[in-house]
Amino acid sequence: MTGRYLRHVVRAPEEIIIYFSLPIMFVLVFGYVFGSGMSVPGGGTYREFLMPGVFVMTMLYGIGATATGIAVDVGRGVIDRFRSMPMARSALISGRVTADLVRAMLETTVLVVCGLLIGWRWHHGVADLLTAIGLLLLLRLGLSCVGVALGLAAPNPDTVSMIVFPLAFPVSAVSNIFVAPELMPGWLGTVSEWNPVSATTTALRSLFGNPGLGSDSWPAENALLLAVAWPVALIVVFGLLSVRLYRRLGH
């Protein structure tokens, strides 16, 4: 099943280009157009502040590809055929999630190269770099479970596209990807700090040695813990929901 989903990616490379274009556009627009006017708590360049958030945002918007792929399979009756075959019921979900992780590693590699070209650097050792990548993949795993649940629950693939962007955009906007929570209004800054996306972004900035760690709030000081806890919670909740939705198909 993992190979099947990866072959679909190879046969439709325009899908990867589309999903890459948004974060790269944000890097260029915010890094070069607005970067000179953005302030970073504690000092430092805005591009180094921005890049960890772009890594996380790419994982977030990957929900769209996951949900659409599952919804297409449901709509075409592919899943019904799989259910009639002598294969594990978990293969569809686990295969899709594994393919998403492979794809996430490819996306991360491309974004690292893009970041290096615009002046972003990580300032700590290889161990911290690998830990940061591990947190990214853990987040993608949790978000893939969300995408699978959306794909199984949506009545058709067109509905998925109408759900994913209105869901993902506020999550990325009300976070610390583009602006530090300290610069937001009080209540909005609190929401931003407790955002699961913000937890991983803060943890990455700490591991990379990038600026943007000015807050002394509990979420900021325990970002590494939250960067593990939030994805695990998503995996448990939406993983179980996905299994339940999968079993109800055809009933």
Side-chain angles (χ1 to χ4, degrees):
M1 294 303 298
T2 300
R4 173 181 179 268
Y5 286 118
L6 291 176
R7 284 192 293 272
H8 285 182
V9 173
V10 173
R11 293 168 183 170
E14 66 277 3
E15 184 179 319
I16 295 181
I17 296 174
I18 291 173
Y19 281 102
F20 272 140
S21 63
L22 185 62
I24 291 176
M25 180 186 69
F26 277 127
V27 170
L28 296 177
V29 172
F30 281 85
Y32 286 94
V33 179
F34 301 121
S36 59
M38 295 285 192
S39 61
V40 178
T45 65
Y46 183 71
R47 292 175 198 169
E48 289 207 334
F49 171 86
L50 178 66
M51 279 308 301
V54 174
F55 291 141
V56 173
M57 185 181 67
T58 303
M59 303 298 106
L60 173 63
Y61 279 89
I63 292 178
T66 305
T68 301
I70 294 293
V72 168
D73 282 346
V74 173
R76 292 177 177 175
V78 175
I79 291 183
D80 289 335
R81 291 196 292 272
F82 286 151
R83 286 165 61 90
S84 66
M85 297 172 62
M87 57 182 289
R89 293 294 180 92
S90 61
L92 177 75
I93 296 175
S94 60
R96 178 73 224 195
V97 169
T98 304
D100 284 347
L101 292 179
V102 174
R103 182 169 163 165
M105 287 188 284
L106 174 62
E107 294 169 346
T108 301
T109 301
V110 173
L111 285 176
V112 166
V113 174
C114 179
L116 293 174
L117 291 176
I118 67 168
W120 168 79
R121 298 290 185 272
W122 76 86
H123 304 284
H124 294 166
V126 175
D128 284 348
L129 174 64
L130 295 178
T131 301
I133 293 175
L135 290 178
L136 277 175
L137 295 179
L138 180 62
L139 178 64
R140 182 60 168 264
L141 181 60
L143 293 172
S144 292
C145 292
V146 176
V148 171
L150 287 175
L152 292 172
N156 56 69
D158 294 333
T159 304
V160 170
S161 61
M162 297 174 61
I163 295 174
V164 170
F165 185 77
L167 175 67
F169 180 75
V171 173
S172 60
V174 186
S175 71
N176 62 358
I177 290 178
F178 302 112
V179 180
E182 304 93 278
L183 303 178
M184 300 179 182
W187 67 272
L188 192 62
T190 301
V191 172
S192 173
E193 288 188 322
W194 284 97
N195 188 331
V197 167
S198 295
T200 302
T201 303
T202 301
L204 261 60
R205 286 176 179 142
S206 176
L207 291 167
F208 289 147
N210 293 152
L213 303 174
S215 176
D216 58 355
S217 65
W218 193 92
E221 293 183 345
N222 296 273
L224 186 59
L225 172 64
L226 292 176
V228 174
W230 276 119
V232 170
L234 292 176
I235 293 168
V236 172
V237 173
F238 287 95
L240 292 176
L241 178 61
S242 297
V243 172
R244 184 175 181 180
L245 291 171
Y246 180 68
R247 289 175 175 173
R248 291 177 60 184
L249 289 177
H251 291 286

